[in-house]
C-alpha cells in the first residue's frame, strides 16, 4: 500500500510508527451514505476572527478540501500513538521491532504484519476458534460458547443469519434515531462555548445503541460500563505473561453482570445469552475506542473540512477507522499446517495478526482524497466468513458523529489515556468549538 499511495507524489512528512495492543475481535463497521438529519439547525457561521478553524482544513484543491499539512498530521499521529505507548509499552515495542517484516516467527508465535499474509491467515488457514488465548476462546470461557467468535460451519452461518437483520441496512436505520438523540443532547454545550468530553458521549452512544438492539431496559451508560468491564477482564487472557491472581473470577463476575443487564428486557430474548453478551462487548468497546480517537485525528490533523464535505466524509470515515484500527491485534491459533509468505506455520502455533500494520495505519495518515483501497482498509474488520457483521453500524455511527461535530471545528483541550481498557483508547478527550454553530436538530424540518 505504501508504494501505491506513494505514486501520487504525496509526502506526509510523518515518520512511521507502529503498535498494537492485545484485544479481541474488532466490533463494527460498514458502508454508510450521508444523512442530512443531524446537522446544525442553520448553516454554521464562523466566529469573528476565527481564522484558525477555517485554516485547519488547509487550502482547497480541485474544489475539495485538503488536510492541514505535514505538521498537523505529525501532531495527530503523535497524540494517537499515546494510546499504545502508555497502555501497553512492552507489547508496542515488541511489535514495532518486527513490523517491517510481513511474517515473523517468535518461538511458537507467528506475527503477521503484511497485508496479504494477514488476509490469507483469516481466509485460507484453518483456525482453532475455541483455543485458549483467542477471542473465541475467551468468549467460550466466559459465556459457555455459542457466539460468532468461537463457531465454525453451519453453527456459525446460523448465528450470523440470526443477527444479520438487526445489523443490516434496515436495522441500522431503525437504530439511527437512538444515537442521534444522544449526539443532540451531548453536543449541545459546544454551541454555548462549553467543552465536551467525547468519551462519556461515545460510551452512552454505544450503550444506547446496544440497549435498543438487544431490547434491554438497562441504563445506557451502566450497560456500556458493564461491557467495558467484561472486556477489560477478558483481555488479560490475551496479554503475555502470567494472569493476575483472581483474574478468571473477576472476568466471570463481570460477564455475569453484563448478561443480567441484558436479560432485563420486555420479553424473551431472541438471541442466546452468550451471543447477546459478546455483541454488547464488541459494539461498546470498539465504539468507545474508535470515536474519540477519530475525532482527535480530525482536530489535530486539520481534517474538519473533509469531514464537513458530504462528498468526502464517507471516504474519511473509512480512512479514520483504518488508521485507528479499533482492534489493532487479532489473536488466533492455527488448526492445521500452512505457509504464510514463506514462513511455515504448524498446527497449534499462535498467530498474532496485527491489523494496524496490515492496513498501513502505522505508515499512512487518513486522507479522503487519497484513501487506501477498500480491500485494504476494511481488513480492520477481518476477512472471509468471519468478517465483522456489525460493520455497517460502525460506519453509520462515525459518519453521524463527524457530521455533527464538523460545523464546530473542535480542538482538543485535554486527553488522558485509558490504561485499563481492553482496546487502545482515551479515558478522557475534551474538545471545544472553534467555530460558531447552532445546536444540532434531530429532524431538519
Amino acid at each position: 500500500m505504501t508504494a501505491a499511495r506513494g505514486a501520487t507524489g504525496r509526502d506526509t512528512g510523518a515518520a512511521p510508527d507502529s503498535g498494537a495492543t492485545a484485544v479481541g475481535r474488532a466490533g463494527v463497521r460498514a458502508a454508510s451514505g450521508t444523512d442530512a438529519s443531524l446537522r446544525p439547525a442553520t448553516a454554521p457561521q464562523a466566529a469573528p476572527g476565527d481564522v484558525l478553524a477555517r485554516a485547519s482544513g488547509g487550502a482547497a484543491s480541485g474544489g475539495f478540501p485538503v488536510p492541514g499539512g505535514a505538521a498537523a498530521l505529525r501532531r495527530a499521529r503523535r497524540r494517537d500513538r499515546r494510546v499504545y505507548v502508555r497502555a501497553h509499552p512492552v507489547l508496542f515495542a515488541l511489535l514495532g521491532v518486527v513490523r517491517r517484516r510481513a511474517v515473523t516467527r517468535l518461538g511458537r508465535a507467528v506475527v503477521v504484519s503484511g497485508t496479504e499474509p494477514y488476509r490469507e491467515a483469516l481466509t485460507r488457514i484453518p483456525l482453532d476458534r475455541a483455543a485458549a488465548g483467542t477471542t473465541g476462546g475467551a468468549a467460550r470461557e466466559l459465556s459457555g460458547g455459542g457466539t460468532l467468535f468461537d463457531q465454525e460451519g453451519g453453527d456459525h452461518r446460523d448465528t450470523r443469519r440470526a443477527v444479520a437483520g438487526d445489523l443490516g441496512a434496515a436495522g441500522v436505520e431503525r437504530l439511527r434515531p437512538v444515537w442521534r438523540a444522544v449526539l443532540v443532547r451531548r453536543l449541545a454545550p459546544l454551541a454555548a462555548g462549553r467543552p465536551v468530553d467525547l468519551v462519556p458521549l461515545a460510551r452512552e452512544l454505544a450503550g444506547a445503541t446496544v440497549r435498543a438492539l438487544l431490547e434491554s431496559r438497562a441504563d445506557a451508560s451502566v450497560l456500556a460500563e458493564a461491557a467495558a468491564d467484561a472486556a477489560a477482564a477478558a483481555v488479560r487472557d490475551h496479554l503475555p505473561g502470567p494472569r493476575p491472581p483472581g483474574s478468571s473470577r473477576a472476568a466471570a463476575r463481570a460477564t455475569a453482570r453484563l448478561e443480567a443487564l441484558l436479560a432485563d428486557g420486555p420479553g424473551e430474548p431472541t438471541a442466546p445469552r452468550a451471543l447477546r453478551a459478546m455483541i454488547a462487548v464488541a459494539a461498546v468497546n470498539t465504539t468507545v475506542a474508535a470515536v474519540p480517537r477519530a475525532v482527535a485525528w480530525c482536530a489535530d490533523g486539520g481534517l474538519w473540512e473533509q469531514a464537513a464535505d458530504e462528498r468526502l466524509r464517507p471516504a474519511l470515515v473509512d480512512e479514520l477507522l483504518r488508521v485507528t484500527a479499533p482492534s489493532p491485534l487479532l489473536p488466533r491459533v492455527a488448526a492445521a499446517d500452512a505457509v504464510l509468505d514463506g514462513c511455515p506455520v504448524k498446527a497449534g502455533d499462535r498467530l498474532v495478526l496485527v491489523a494496524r500494520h496490515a492496513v498501513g495505519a502505522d505508515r499512512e495518515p487518513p486522507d479522503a482524497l487519497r484513501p487506501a483501497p477498500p480491500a485494504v482498509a476494511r481488513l480492520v474488520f477481518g476477512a472471509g466468513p468471519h468478517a465483522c457483521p456489525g460493520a455497517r453500524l460502525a460506519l453509520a455511527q462515525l459518519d453521524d458523529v463527524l457530521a455533527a461535530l464538523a460545523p464546530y471545528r473542535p480542538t482538543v483541550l485535554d486527553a488522558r489515556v485509558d490504561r485499563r481498557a481492553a482496546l487502545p483508547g482515551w479515558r478522557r478527550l475534551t474538545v471545544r468549538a472553534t467555530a460558531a454553530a447552532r445546536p444540532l436538530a434531530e429532524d431538519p424540518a
Side-chain angles (χ1 to χ4, degrees):
M1 186 176 73
T2 303
R5 296 182 74 175
T8 64
R10 177 183 176 194
D11 180 7
T12 66
D17 69 354
S18 65
T21 188
V23 297
R25 183 180 178 83
V28 285
R29 182 189 190 130
S32 161
T34 59
D35 190 290
S37 64
L38 198 64
R39 305 289 189 273
T42 62
Q45 300 296 318
D50 183 23
V51 178
L52 176 61
R54 294 302 179 188
S56 66
S61 174
F64 288 100
V66 300
L73 292 170
R74 283 197 299 270
R75 181 170 61 249
R77 186 178 294 283
R78 281 197 301 270
R79 187 192 301 277
D80 196 60
R81 289 179 78 247
R82 287 165 55 191
V83 300
Y84 300 100
V85 174
R86 298 194 179 184
H88 299 289
V90 175
L91 188 61
F92 182 91
L94 174 64
L95 294 176
V97 169
V98 300
R99 76 180 190 274
R100 296 188 183 280
R101 297 185 63 182
V103 181
T104 305
R105 174 172 286 281
L106 299 174
R108 288 300 305 272
V110 178
V111 181
V112 182
S113 299
T115 303
E116 289 310 313
Y118 176 94
R119 192 195 316 275
E120 290 180 15
L122 290 172
T123 59
R124 188 175 59 82
I125 296 181
L127 300 175
D128 184 348
R129 298 285 173 184
T134 67
T135 308
R140 177 156 295 200
E141 181 178 336
L142 294 177
S143 297
T147 75
L148 284 166
F149 305 100
D150 65 343
Q151 292 176 322
E152 283 284 11
D155 289 342
H156 178 265
R157 288 192 294 271
D158 291 344
T159 303
R160 197 175 183 93
R161 279 195 295 268
V163 302
D166 290 333
L167 297 176
V172 168
E173 288 309 311
R174 286 194 299 270
L175 292 170
R176 212 161 197 160
V178 173
W179 71 70
R180 284 179 180 152
V182 175
L183 287 173
V184 168
R185 177 167 44 81
R186 285 279 190 172
L187 294 181
L190 290 179
R194 299 196 301 274
V196 169
D197 185 349
L198 294 178
V199 174
L201 178 152
R203 188 179 298 121
E204 183 181 352
L205 183 151
T209 302
V210 167
R211 181 181 61 182
L213 175 65
L214 300 178
E215 299 182 334
S216 168
R217 291 195 182 99
D219 176 81
S221 295
V222 171
L223 181 57
E225 180 185 3
D229 288 344
V235 81
R236 293 181 178 88
D237 286 338
H238 299 193
L239 291 173
R243 296 183 184 182
S247 61
S248 295
R249 291 191 299 273
R253 286 195 301 269
T255 303
R257 178 191 177 211
L258 174 61
E259 290 178 345
L261 289 171
L262 293 172
D264 182 15
E268 186 68 23
T270 57
R273 180 187 66 175
L275 177 60
R276 290 162 59 84
M278 294 310 294
I279 288 175
V281 166
V284 167
N285 286 279
T286 51
T287 301
V288 174
V291 167
R293 288 179 61 196
V295 172
W297 264 102
C298 288
D300 293 335
L303 297 171
W304 285 125
E305 295 294 337
Q306 290 191 358
D309 192 314
E310 293 190 357
R311 298 166 295 176
L312 294 180
R313 191 167 55 250
L316 180 62
V317 169
D318 271 334
E319 282 286 277
L320 289 169
L321 288 173
R322 174 185 66 81
V323 170
T324 57
S327 284
L329 184 151
L330 306 182
R332 299 290 187 264
V333 170
D337 293 352
V339 176
L340 277 178
D341 198 47
C343 177
V345 175
K346 301 296 183 182
D349 280 350
R350 293 197 171 276
L351 302 178
V352 182
L353 309 181
V354 189
R356 173 176 167 79
H357 297 168
V359 300
D362 59 320
R363 301 184 299 275
E364 296 285 354
D367 186 357
L369 289 175
R370 288 172 288 273
V376 172
R378 298 191 180 184
L379 286 176
V380 293
F381 302 105
H386 281 267
C388 174
R392 187 181 300 274
L393 180 65
L395 267 178
Q397 287 184 330
L398 185 54
D399 191 283
D400 279 352
V401 169
L402 297 184
L405 283 169
Y408 295 104
R409 305 302 195 267
T411 187
V412 177
L413 295 181
D414 182 44
R416 294 289 183 274
V417 172
D418 192 340
R419 299 172 186 265
R420 178 180 173 277
L423 301 177
W426 299 106
R427 179 168 57 89
R428 180 168 67 248
L429 187 88
T430 307
V431 300
R432 181 179 61 194
T434 62
R438 292 280 300 278
L440 300 172
E442 293 181 71
D443 185 344

